[in-house]
Amino acid sequence: MTGPEDGIPNPRKADLLKLRGDLAKEVDDLARALKAPAEDIGGDKVWVGKNARAWHRELAGRHRRLGQQVGTLLPLLDAAIRGEPEKVSAAEARSYRAGA
């Protein structure tokens, strides 16, 4: 009988590693996505007044939450990658690819 150690490279793990690499390249951009608009509105450069301050608070809050959420993505992917075996059976690989 053969086990996963005798199998083929795990395609799910390979996909997760690729996703992690792609995401790592984008994390900084995603975390900063709303920074400039929030600063522009809050700095009275593009809009002033009561409504501008309300929009600034809303946008600054969204920017903060987006940064927090993006910061959790890489650790989640790292945990998923650690949970994947290096090798799987050919049947498991086919099943994964069929569902992908």
Side-chain angles (χ1 to χ4, degrees):
M1 183 166 165
T2 60
E5 63 277 356
D6 299 326
I8 62 172
N10 183 345
R12 178 179 166 82
K13 187 166 192 166
D15 285 350
L16 287 170
L17 287 166
K18 181 181 181 326
L19 176 61
R20 196 214 186 276
D22 292 347
L23 182 61
K25 293 175 189 173
E26 301 295 329
V27 163
D28 288 337
D29 290 339
L30 290 169
R32 290 189 313 257
L34 299 175
K35 184 178 180 179
E39 288 174 353
D40 289 347
I41 291 173
D44 295 332
K45 291 179 184 176
V46 296
W47 192 14
V48 297
K50 180 181 166 185
N51 288 336
R53 286 188 297 277
W55 271 89
H56 170 70
R57 282 190 302 273
E58 173 71 19
L59 198 53
R62 288 177 185 256
H63 172 252
R64 187 175 49 258
R65 285 188 303 277
L66 180 62
Q68 291 167 344
Q69 290 171 345
V70 166
T72 66
L73 294 176
L74 289 175
L76 287 172
L77 273 172
D78 290 339
I81 291 166
R82 281 191 305 274
E84 288 292 324
E86 291 295 322
K87 297 195 176 207
V88 295
S89 69
E92 288 172 306
R94 278 192 305 275
S95 176
Y96 171 74
R97 287 186 188 116

